[in-house]
């Protein structure tokens, strides 16, 4: 699979309005970069989604767009389908753009599947980079307890039904090393690979990721140089490419269960989601995620580069 | 680059062959073994991380994985079928597309298919020719009876049929969020498949008629409470020849409840339960031999020949005795003495004379011993004649330098030695070393993996310092040992604690407890000897604090002490807990279990209640240490100073 063919571009926040959409959908949180893009984008309808996991209620938020509340919980598919149905979009002709910057990771992970299921042919996905994460390496994206590392419903794969020594787990390593540790711990028999953003969203972020990684390396099984994979943090298609190549390389001789757990930047998460949609689902891969009690509303500072990735669903297998 | 024989610390990292090569049986006097795979009684094998549970269970499954002959299976007396619950991917049996009871039924069906598939695959690994044919025929007949003839393709083998049915569930579960669970049929009654198919094997294979079929079910913590209830039901309603050995973390055994009319499985009736580290703890010499054999074997496997010397002795030399130690001298104990006497407004000339009396140049350890004697006498008598007390203390310890020490003096030195050494290292700003094989084994807290991790880190530091411990059998420097031990200690706290807020609360409590124990140990007059434990009656303590305590115990950060001094000192109402010995080095605490600090419920709460602020905790520590810190509240301005 050649993921380099997919279209991506980037621009400053001032140039965002150059492209016009019928519908722009964004998930609200306290990050400046989410607000900035929502204000700058040019669309006939702007929809702001409040996610229950952040604990917002509509009274807290002022916007000139429509507000919808979702509680993804463990029903990401159902919640997306319900929302998109309620918007009564003309799927065949609608120019839809979705900002994933403030979106819960599990919701990002099922998004391509949902959009395909709805019948969209192409959707623009936006992701705005931060200048820095608010507390550097100490930034915590999840709050409270890790309720458990669970499969995201609908992305469970089909286990081979034998012992799992040959299984492969690829974790998109984010700053929150405790979440990474939780995932590694949950699949401790698997061969564990950590995917790191290189280059990072900002130059210092690679260093910070490596520092965080050093705290969890003891958990990683492969131990040697192959335990770490690299893909540009801001490029989901290259992320998907790296995963695809690695899975093919390791799976040449033996069929094995494949587990994916993206915990890094949302652009990286989208890369995992895109790989899963195009190849992983057919390969019977499973996405696992460390669900937490709640999530931080604000984890970053500043507004960096705005990225746009165009998901084209033509080559995506039917669900 | 040095070879690190301790690089692999988890059984999951081993191949089947390596499992066997590195397996060391734990044999304890009068004990037939940790678990009997032939026993009809199901057995839970639980404990903290790193007890060797997976290694043992995989070892028990080894005969079947080697494709043994029938004769070999008959001699073993059981067919051991190992699997990990993580492979079931149990977390997918949830979601809005069905209610909880529907998911529970689907999971039960899936578990039955899973077990049956493992069983059939195992039978095909053992049996051959006509015997296999007869058993396969029995399997197919049974599947037809239980599932119905229309449930599977007649051209399929029993294994293929079960795999196809399991896949049917996999697909339905995966598509449930998009299209619901419609079309999925549950085709068998709970338990029917696995028990019936197992019966076929022993009925149709004469050589196996007395064999047990033992499912070795690892990583039980990966099942939810509802899923464990179903498995507990299988345990309760098991039929011969099937039995179960279930392995998991202690905190991961969520319930013993069943779906059999709400009955709960009872230990001793429906199952046995062994906490692995308790088993080791019950026979410390056997654990020590077991640990040393484990390490020796790993070193030899790398081709290093230790010439019949134990590997720990090569690395560390023999366990040091008191006379071997080169302790760091600083004289700071006398500086503190002077300050304390001045604070008590002792006249300057008496301060100088007292300090001089207790100063034994080149003999700082004995000097500190005499100072401790002085503090004990002074705080008790509150006598203003400090010079006389100092003289008596010095004379009391003098036989240690020349002469014949009394039994009382030798006991005093023996009791206080480790605390004084800890103080000397702390005053020198050095990490207290945990030297010698016995200390390292004790530090592992009866979890073999902890010992491996410690040695792994020590070897890494030895390499960092340019040492080649095995090359000329030169051993590892004290510097590398100290660094490795400290790193292992930090690793353990992070590795053992729960994730998320629960873990942060446990970590806060452990750090507070550790600091308190350290401050007591380093005080002028420690109230306890080698304190590493605390006890409290816990009455009236907030629920939140008790919950943190329980989590610390279930995750192995604290060790609940169930016998020994607790009862004699405090009665049965007091509960006693030891800081896990792996954590002790972070605080220069003892890895052994000697003195315990009695905490009131209020003091306990200030350590364990996550809502208590650092300031409130510190105030308690200050108050608690007052009686252990010279001048012990004595002020000579308020006493009779006529003697001066």
């Amino acid at each position: 699979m050649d993921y380099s063919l997919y279209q991506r571009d980037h621009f400053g926040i001032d140039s965002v309005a150059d492209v016009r959409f019928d519908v722009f959908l964004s998930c609200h949180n306290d990050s400046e970069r989410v607000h900035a893009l929502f204000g700058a984008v040019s669309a006939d309808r702007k929809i702001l989604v409040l996610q229950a996991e952040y604990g917002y209620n509509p009274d807290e938020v002022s916007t000139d767009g429509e507000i919808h509340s979702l509680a993804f919980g463990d029903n990401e598919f159902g919640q997306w389908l319900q929302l998109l149905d309620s918007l009564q979009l003309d799927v065949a002709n609608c120019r839809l753009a979705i900002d994933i910057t403030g979106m819960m990771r599990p919701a990002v992970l099922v998004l391509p599947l949902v959009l395909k299921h709805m019948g969209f042919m192409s959707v623009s996905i936006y992701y705005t980079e931060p200048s820095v994460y608010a507390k550097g390496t100490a930034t915590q994206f999840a709050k409270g307890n890790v309720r458990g590392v669970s499969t995201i419903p609908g992305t469970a794969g089909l286990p081979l039904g034998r012992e799992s020594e040959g299984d492969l787990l690829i974790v998109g390593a984010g700053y929150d090393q405790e979440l990474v540790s939780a995932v590694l711990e949950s699949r401790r028999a698997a061969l564990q690979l950590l995917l790191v953003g290189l280059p990072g969203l900002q130059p210092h972020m690679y260093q910070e990721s490596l520092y965080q990684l050093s705290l969890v390396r003891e958990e990683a099984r492969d131990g040697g140089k192959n335990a770490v994979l690299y893909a540009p943090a801001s490029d989901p298609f290259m992320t998907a490419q790296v995963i695809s190549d690695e899975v093919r390389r390791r799976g040449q001789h033996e069929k094995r269960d494949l587990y994916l757990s993206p915990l890094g930047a949302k652009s990286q998460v989208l890369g995992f989601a895109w790989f899963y949609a195009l190849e992983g689902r057919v390969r019977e891969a499973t996405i696992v995620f460390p669900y937490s009690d709640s999530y931080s509303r604000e984890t970053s500072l500043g507004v960096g580069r705005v990225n746009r990735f165009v998901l084209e669903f033509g080559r995506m297998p039917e669900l | 680059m040095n070879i690190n024989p301790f690089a692999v610390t988890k059984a999951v990292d081993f191949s089947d062959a390596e499992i066997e090569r590195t397996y060391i049986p734990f044999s304890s006097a009068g004990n037939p073994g940790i678990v009997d795979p032939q026993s009809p009684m199901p057995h839970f094998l639980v404990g903290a991380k790193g007890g060797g549970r997976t290694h043992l269970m995989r070892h028990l499954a080894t005969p079947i994985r080697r494709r043994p002959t029938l004769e070999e299976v008959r001699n073993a007396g059981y067919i051991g079928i190992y699997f990990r619950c993580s492979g079931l991917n149990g977390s997918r049996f949830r979601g809005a597309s069905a209610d909880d009871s529907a998911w529970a039924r689907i999971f039960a069906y899936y578990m039955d298919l899973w077990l049956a598939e493992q069983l059939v695959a195992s039978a095909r690994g053992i049996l051959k020719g006509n015997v296999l044919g007869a058993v396969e025929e029995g399997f197919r007949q049974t599947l037809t009876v239980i599932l119905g003839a229309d449930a599977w393709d007649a051209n399929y083998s029993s294994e293929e049929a079960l795999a196809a049915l399991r896949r049917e569930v996999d697909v339905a579960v995966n598509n449930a969020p998009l299209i619901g669970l419609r079309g999925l049929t549950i085709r068998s009654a709970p338990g029917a498949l696995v028990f019936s198919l197992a019966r076929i094997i022993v009925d149709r294979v004469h050589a196996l008629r007395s064999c047990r079929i033992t499912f070795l079910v690892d990583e039980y913590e990966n099942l939810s409470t509802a899923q464990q209830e179903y498995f507990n039901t299988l345990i309760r309603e098991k039929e011969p020849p099937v039995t179960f050995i279930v392995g998991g973390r202690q905190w991961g055994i969520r319930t013993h409840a069943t779906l059999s009319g709400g009955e709960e499985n009872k230990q001793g009736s429906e199952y046995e339960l062994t906490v692995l580290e308790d088993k080791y703890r019950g026979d410390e010499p056997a654990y020590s031999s077991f640990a040393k054999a484990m390490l020796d074997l790993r070193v030899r496997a790398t081709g290093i020949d230790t010439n019949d010397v134990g590997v720990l002795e090569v690395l560390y030399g023999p366990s040091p005795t008191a006379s071997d130690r080169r302790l760091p001298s600083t004289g700071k104990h006398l500086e503190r003495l002077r300050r304390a006497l001045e604070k008590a407004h002792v006249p300057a000339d008496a301060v100088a004379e007292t300090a001089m009396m207790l100063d034994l140049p080149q003999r700082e350890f004995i000097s500190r011993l005499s100072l401790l004697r002085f503090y004990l006498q002074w705080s008790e008598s509150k006598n203003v004649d400090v010079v006389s007390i100092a003289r008596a203390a010095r004379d009391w310890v003098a036989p240690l330098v020349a002469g014949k020490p009394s039994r009382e003096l030798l006991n005093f030195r023996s009791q206080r030695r480790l605390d004084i050494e800890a103080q000397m290292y702390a005053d020198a700003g050095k990490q207290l070393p945990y030297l010698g094989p016995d200390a390292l084994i004790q530090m592992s807290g009866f979890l073999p993996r902890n010992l491996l991790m410690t040695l792994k880190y020590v070897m890494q530091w030895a390499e960092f310092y340019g040492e080649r411990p095995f090359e000329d059998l030169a051993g590892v420097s004290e510097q590398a040992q100290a660094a490795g031990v400290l790193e292992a200690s930090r690793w353990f706290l992070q590795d053992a604690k729960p994730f998320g807020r629960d873990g942060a609360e446990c970590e806060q409590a452990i750090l507070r407890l550790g600091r308190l124990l350290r401050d007591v140990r380093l005080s002028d007059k420690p109230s306890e000897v080698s304190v590493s434990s605390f006890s409290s009656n816990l009455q009236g303590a907030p629920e939140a604090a008790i919950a943190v305590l329980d989590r610390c115990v279930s995750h192995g950060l604290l060790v609940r002490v169930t016998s020994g001094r607790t009862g004699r000192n405090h009665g049965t109402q007091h509960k006693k807990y030891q800081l896990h010995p792996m954590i002790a080095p972070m605080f220069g605490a003892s890895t052994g279990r000697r003195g315990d600090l009695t905490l009131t419920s209020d003091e306990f709460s200030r350590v364990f209640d996550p809502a208590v602020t650092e300031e409130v905790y510190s105030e308690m520590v200050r108050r608690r240490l007052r009686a252990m810190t010279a001048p012990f509240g004595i002020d000579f301005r308020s006493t009779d100073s006529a003697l001066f």
Side-chain angles (χ1 to χ4, degrees):
Chain A
M1 179 73 75
D2 184 357
Y3 290 87
S4 67
L5 300 173
Y6 290 97
Q7 183 190 341
R8 81 279 266 167
D9 50 18
H10 57 83
F11 22 79
I13 192 79
D14 298 335
S15 310
V16 165
D18 294 350
V19 187
R20 184 164 185 83
F21 296 98
D22 297 323
V23 178
F24 180 77
L25 187 149
S26 176
C27 286
H28 179 73
N29 72 9
D30 286 355
S31 294
E32 182 187 357
R33 50 190 172 136
V34 173
H35 298 181
L37 182 62
F38 194 76
V41 84
S42 174
D44 296 340
R45 284 176 77 184
K46 289 188 182 179
I47 293 155
L48 195 59
V49 174
L50 306 187
Q51 299 159 101
E53 285 78 0
Y54 284 132
Y56 289 110
N57 65 60
D59 300 341
E60 290 181 77
V61 181
S62 71
T63 175
D64 51 357
E66 304 168 31
I67 292 183
H68 291 263
S69 295
L70 288 184
F72 283 113
D74 56 6
N75 184 25
E76 292 86 0
F77 270 96
Q79 289 284 291
W80 271 134
L81 291 175
Q82 194 178 331
L83 172 69
L84 293 173
D85 275 342
S86 73
L87 297 178
Q88 297 184 320
L89 304 176
D90 175 9
V91 170
N93 300 305
C94 176
R95 286 173 300 157
L96 173 65
I98 298 175
D99 179 17
I100 59 169
T101 309
M103 195 179 290
M104 309 300 303
R105 284 175 176 77
V108 176
L109 285 163
V110 302
L111 191 56
L113 303 176
V114 170
L115 295 171
K116 170 77 175 179
H117 183 72
M118 293 286 295
F120 287 96
M121 291 304 294
S122 165
V123 173
S124 290
I125 303 293
Y126 276 84
Y127 175 72
T128 308
E129 298 170 11
S131 300
V132 291
Y133 285 114
K135 294 180 182 172
T137 55
T139 305
Q140 284 199 311
F141 297 86
K143 295 197 297 185
N145 282 321
V146 179
R147 282 189 276 123
V149 178
S150 303
T151 306
I152 295 175
T155 65
L158 309 176
L160 293 171
R162 50 127 178 87
E163 205 181 304
S164 43
E165 255 105 30
D167 294 351
L168 183 62
L169 167 68
I170 301 178
V171 180
Y175 275 31
D176 207 331
Q177 55 94 6
E178 198 163 63
L179 295 182
V180 176
S181 293
V183 172
L184 297 179
E185 175 67 24
S186 75
R187 295 281 155 200
R188 51 187 185 269
L191 193 66
Q192 300 171 338
L193 304 179
L194 299 169
L195 195 153
V196 178
L198 182 68
L201 296 178
Q202 300 290 344
H204 66 278
M205 289 179 182
Y206 171 66
Q207 300 293 346
E208 291 180 343
S209 290
L210 278 196
Y211 170 74
Q212 290 301 92
L213 200 58
S214 71
L215 302 177
V216 299
R217 279 295 288 276
E218 188 50 55
E219 302 283 344
R221 276 196 62 209
D222 204 8
K225 59 187 177 186
N226 294 330
V228 180
L229 304 173
Y230 300 96
S234 63
D235 190 336
F237 300 128
M238 280 301 99
T239 298
Q241 188 73 61
V242 167
I243 298 169
S244 175
D245 292 347
E246 188 67 20
V247 169
R248 193 167 56 250
R249 187 173 75 80
R250 290 183 179 267
Q252 276 174 342
H253 307 297
E254 184 191 356
K255 182 154 170 54
R256 62 177 89 211
D257 283 340
L258 171 64
Y259 294 92
L260 305 168
S261 189
L263 306 173
K266 304 286 171 54
S267 44
Q268 188 200 63
V269 174
L270 182 65
F272 274 75
W274 196 232
F275 166 78
Y276 183 81
L278 266 63
E279 294 186 73
R281 193 170 161 87
V282 176
R283 293 183 68 102
E284 301 163 4
T286 297
I287 300 180
V288 291
F289 191 78
Y291 284 89
S292 296
D293 286 341
S294 59
Y295 298 85
S296 303
R297 290 178 169 190
E298 167 65 297
T299 55
S300 64
L301 300 172
V303 181
R305 196 171 65 166
V306 179
N307 296 280
R308 184 173 68 135
F309 315 110
V310 182
L311 302 187
E312 296 170 63
F313 298 100
R315 294 190 64 190
M316 187 169 149
E318 294 300 324
L319 299 175
Chain B
M1 189 170 163
N2 285 345
I3 297 167
N4 191 339
F6 315 113
V8 177
T9 60
K10 299 181 208 167
V12 293
D13 294 357
F14 280 138
S15 66
D16 288 345
E18 287 168 329
I19 284 284
E20 280 315 284
R21 201 163 56 238
T22 56
Y23 179 73
I24 302 281
F26 177 75
S27 51
S28 174
N31 195 327
I34 290 174
V35 62
D36 177 10
Q38 296 179 56
S39 169
M41 179 70 108
H43 203 128
F44 281 83
L45 206 53
V46 303
K49 244 192 238 186
R53 190 177 51 247
T54 295
H55 206 139
L56 172 60
M57 292 176 74
R58 286 185 60 190
H59 163 74
L60 292 175
T62 298
I64 187 81
R65 295 153 72 104
R66 278 197 202 135
R67 296 191 167 265
T69 64
L70 272 182
E71 186 71 12
E72 286 171 327
V73 177
R74 188 180 64 185
N75 291 341
Y78 71 100
I79 299 171
I81 302 170
Y82 176 88
F83 72 91
R84 295 185 172 86
C85 291
S86 57
L88 284 158
N89 210 356
S91 65
R92 67 202 156 117
F93 296 91
R94 68 187 174 92
S97 41
D99 61 27
D100 288 348
S101 64
W103 281 124
R105 285 196 302 278
I106 294 166
F107 174 78
Y109 176 50
Y110 191 85
M111 175 62 94
D112 284 357
L113 290 169
W114 178 276
L115 292 172
E117 196 180 342
Q118 306 272 342
L119 177 74
V120 168
S122 298
R124 295 174 75 89
I126 300 168
L127 307 174
K128 297 179 184 71
N130 293 338
V131 182
L132 176 60
V135 169
E136 172 64 11
E137 184 192 354
F139 283 163
R140 289 165 58 89
Q141 288 168 355
T142 304
L143 291 182
T144 303
V145 171
I146 293 176
L147 303 170
D150 61 336
W152 50 292
D153 189 326
N155 295 318
Y156 281 174
S157 69
S158 56
E159 190 177 7
E160 289 167 339
L162 288 163
L165 289 168
R166 191 171 60 78
R167 192 177 174 83
E168 185 179 277
V169 184
D170 284 331
V171 171
V173 168
N174 209 19
N175 288 335
L178 288 172
I179 59 172
L181 278 166
R182 60 177 177 264
L184 180 62
T185 306
I186 294 176
R187 302 173 189 273
S188 66
L193 273 174
V194 64
F195 296 138
S196 304
L197 295 174
R199 191 74 243 166
I200 299 287
I201 296 174
V202 292
D203 283 350
R204 300 206 174 196
V205 185
H206 186 72
L208 303 181
R209 67 185 185 282
S210 302
C211 277
R212 195 73 55 193
I213 293 178
T214 307
F215 283 97
L216 299 146
V217 185
D218 203 2
E219 300 182 356
Y220 201 56
E221 65 273 10
N222 280 300
L223 300 187
S224 68
T225 303
Q227 292 168 351
Q228 289 190 1
E229 280 179 8
Y230 177 65
F231 207 89
N232 293 340
T233 310
L234 290 178
I235 287 173
R236 189 181 187 83
E237 298 179 356
K238 70 182 174 55
E239 295 173 14
V242 171
T243 191
F244 300 96
I245 294 175
V246 178
R249 305 275 166 79
Q250 198 156 8
W251 55 260
I253 309 299
R254 305 179 202 282
T255 179
H256 288 291
T258 70
L259 304 175
S260 307
E263 292 286 334
E264 183 155 311
N265 288 343
K266 296 281 189 297
Q267 189 171 353
S269 298
E270 279 83 27
Y271 67 92
E272 297 292 352
L273 186 144
T274 296
V275 180
L276 213 43
E277 52 267 41
D278 288 351
K279 196 81 169 178
Y280 299 144
R281 191 175 285 117
D283 190 342
E284 293 190 27
Y287 174 71
S288 180
S289 302
F290 168 72
K292 288 176 179 175
M294 173 185 75
L295 301 178
D296 223 47
L297 189 141
R298 289 193 179 219
V299 171
R300 290 180 198 285
T302 62
I304 297 164
D305 185 0
T306 55
N307 293 324
D308 297 329
V309 182
V311 60
L312 283 169
E313 279 73 14
V314 168
L315 288 172
Y316 302 107
S319 293
T321 61
S323 57
D324 295 331
R325 306 293 292 274
R326 291 190 305 278
L327 299 169
S329 299
T330 60
K332 285 186 178 173
H333 62 304
L334 295 175
E335 291 173 22
R336 279 197 298 276
L337 167 69
R338 288 189 195 93
R339 283 200 300 274
L341 293 171
E342 286 161 5
K343 192 174 176 187
H345 296 97
V346 172
D349 55 342
V351 171
E353 196 173 351
T354 303
M356 189 186 71
M357 202 71 72
L358 298 172
D359 185 10
L360 298 169
Q362 313 301 318
R363 299 277 188 170
E364 185 164 318
F365 176 84
I366 297 176
S367 169
R368 285 176 182 257
L369 204 62
S370 68
L371 178 60
L372 177 58
R373 174 80 176 182
F374 167 80
Y375 281 147
L376 288 166
Q377 300 289 323
W378 184 38
S379 62
E380 190 178 330
S381 67
K382 299 194 167 30
N383 195 328
V384 293
D385 187 2
V386 289
V387 175
S388 294
I389 300 171
R391 184 179 296 114
R394 187 200 59 188
D395 291 348
W396 194 69
V397 301
L400 288 173
V401 182
K404 292 184 177 174
S406 64
R407 181 174 295 276
E408 185 191 4
L409 175 55
L410 289 175
N411 283 344
F412 184 69
R413 182 181 67 176
S414 165
Q415 279 186 350
R416 300 291 185 164
R417 180 172 70 87
L418 294 176
D419 288 337
I420 289 177
E421 287 180 5
Q423 292 178 355
M424 293 175 78
Y425 275 94
D427 279 346
K430 289 185 172 178
Q431 172 70 20
L432 180 66
Y434 293 77
L435 295 172
D438 297 334
L440 291 174
I441 291 173
Q442 189 172 51
M443 183 178 152
S444 72
F446 301 99
L447 294 171
R449 183 172 168 229
N450 289 346
L451 182 58
L452 289 172
M453 285 301 298
T454 304
L455 292 178
K456 177 178 174 176
Y457 284 126
V458 166
M459 294 295 291
Q460 286 174 355
W461 279 99
E463 182 169 1
F464 179 78
Y465 289 130
E467 300 168 13
R468 297 182 173 278
F470 290 114
E471 203 159 88
D472 50 4
L473 303 186
V476 177
S477 69
E478 191 174 306
Q479 181 186 27
Q481 289 183 54
V485 162
L486 185 61
E487 187 164 351
S489 186
R490 289 178 177 142
W491 160 80
F492 179 82
L493 176 58
Q494 296 307 317
D495 189 63
K497 69 173 185 175
F499 293 113
R501 187 179 54 220
D502 284 354
E505 290 173 356
C506 286
E507 185 172 4
Q508 175 179 283
I510 292 296
L511 293 177
R512 284 180 175 180
L513 177 66
R515 276 155 43 205
L516 173 63
L517 296 177
R518 179 195 60 199
D519 289 352
V520 168
R521 189 178 211 197
L522 300 183
S523 68
D524 295 326
K525 185 176 67 75
S527 60
E528 308 294 338
V529 173
S530 292
V531 62
S532 61
S533 309
F534 76 92
S535 59
S536 178
N537 67 14
L538 307 179
Q539 283 179 358
E543 274 182 27
I546 301 280
V548 172
L549 173 70
D550 288 343
R551 274 202 299 276
C552 287
V553 172
S554 66
H555 282 75
L557 301 169
L558 292 175
V559 180
R560 172 97 189 264
V561 182
T562 52
S563 60
R565 286 167 18 107
T566 312
R568 292 201 299 276
N569 282 356
H570 309 296
T572 53
Q573 295 304 308
H574 269 244
K575 291 176 177 165
K576 181 174 168 181
Y577 302 88
Q578 181 193 4
L579 190 66
H580 193 283
M582 278 296 286
I583 300 174
M586 284 176 67
F587 305 101
S590 167
T591 53
R593 187 188 294 163
R594 294 183 72 179
D596 71 279
L597 190 68
T598 305
L599 299 180
T600 65
S601 288
D602 175 63
E603 290 169 334
F604 163 79
S605 303
R606 293 187 191 211
V607 173
F608 281 89
D609 188 340
V612 166
T613 63
E614 194 63 22
E615 191 181 2
V616 172
Y617 158 78
S618 298
E619 191 277 328
M620 178 274 289
V621 175
R622 277 196 300 277
R623 184 156 38 84
R624 190 68 203 248
L625 289 175
R626 208 167 290 147
M628 301 177 216
T629 307
F632 314 108
I634 300 170
D635 188 336
F636 289 170
R637 288 178 307 185
S638 59
T639 57
D640 182 5
S641 58
L643 285 170
F644 296 105

